[in-house]
Amino acid sequence: MTLRDKQIVVGVGGGIAAFKAVELVRELGRRGAKVRVAMTASACRFVGPITFTALTGEPALTDLWDPRYPGEVHVELARWAHAIVIAPATANLMARAAQGFADDVVLATLACANSPVLMAPAMHERMWRAAATRRNLERLTSDGVHFAGPVQGALADGSVALGRMQEPAAIADVLAREVFAVRDLGGVTILVSAGPTLEDLDPVRFISNRSSGRMGYAVAAAARDRGATVILVTGPTSIPVPAGVETIQVRSALEMQGAIASALPRVDAIVMTAAVADYRPAESKPRKVKKQGETMTLELVKNPDILAELGRTRQGKRPVLVGFAMETHDVVGYGRKKLVDKRVDLVVANEASVGFGRDDTQATLVGREGDEALPPMTKTELANRILDRIKAKL
Ligand code: CTP
């Protein structure tokens, strides 16, 4: 999607990366967008409003009570915007946006927004990894905010770490590709399974795995953004489910299988990101099991392979089936074996070390046509690559 004639509000936060917001504004202009800039008070300590005024031909807004605006400037800006880009999004800006604060021109515009929002975070790695920032990131993501970066690189203190603002051209790419996503999956229903399954031993214990659910939630959100009707069947996770998708919460593999079976007649494609437990306890005891001898043997029985069953029983080419393979070695080899054994259309193969709980990932798409080794990318970008493949098969 081109940015030509798109009206973009760039909200500049107060971080050293604010100087790169200048280049972002120029880049958006080069791509034909019309840009207006709003700045927080601390952003003005890093770059002068005049710089943006000169680049955009519009006054950069720094004040909610700007006397040049007889009306409410944040309402006018939000109404004008086809999209709002926050760059750099500092930890503080993210926190205040997550809470819905509206006490400066950038936050008030965000609070009033009825167009998509893209944030390009920039902060020290420790701030990015801080529990509070994680919470705010999850909150904002589930509110539908898009993110570009941060990336690995030199930070203000000279260290090389994760926290550097994404490059301006890359932010513009994300805006074009993700935020102004072509709604090319309209009329398509996609079921996404996500998260782990929990297999109960007794009322207080279960067997499970480390799946975070992030990959599946990213696929669900990306499909939603491209106009698909999305059914998310999810095991228990600690991250918020994406807004605007039909969510079915399940616990065990058997429950997941049941939920998928009942949705099956409605779906055109199924993306199985769930880490379904291969085995469950032979018996789930109704009362808590008491400890006894020095050792204990658990008897496990095999769970149904949901994906393989879908592959075995589908009539013709619908639904399109996508599986995941998380391996510690011979990633592509095992991925190809799963493609054949489970009779699916695509296997997304990745290394166990790069998957769990991370924001970014690296995968190889293993299809009947061949393999495509993808570079490292965010889970949302990977989700869109998978959706491109699905679209081609529909
Ligand atoms: N899957 C499934 N039902 C299961 C197990 C897995 O639908 N009972 C799906 C997963 O959602 C995923 C793919 O199959 O899309 C993963 O394949 P799987 O054979 O489970 O991989 P591993 O568990 O890694 O298998 P193995 O131990 O054989 O490597």
Side-chain angles (χ1 to χ4, degrees), residues 53-72:
T53 304
L55 287 175
T56 61
E58 295 274 350
L61 296 158
T62 56
D63 184 3
L64 261 185
W65 292 273
D66 193 320
R68 285 167 302 185
Y69 289 84
E72 295 170 299

Side-chain angles (χ1 to χ4, degrees), residues 107-135:
L107 286 160
T109 305
L110 276 179
C112 193
N114 61 357
S115 47
V117 176
L118 171 65
M119 292 195 177
M123 61 195 77
H124 194 277
E125 177 161 15
R126 284 203 302 279
M127 292 172 92
W128 176 246
R129 302 235 182 258
T133 306
R134 301 277 95 192
R135 275 198 304 278

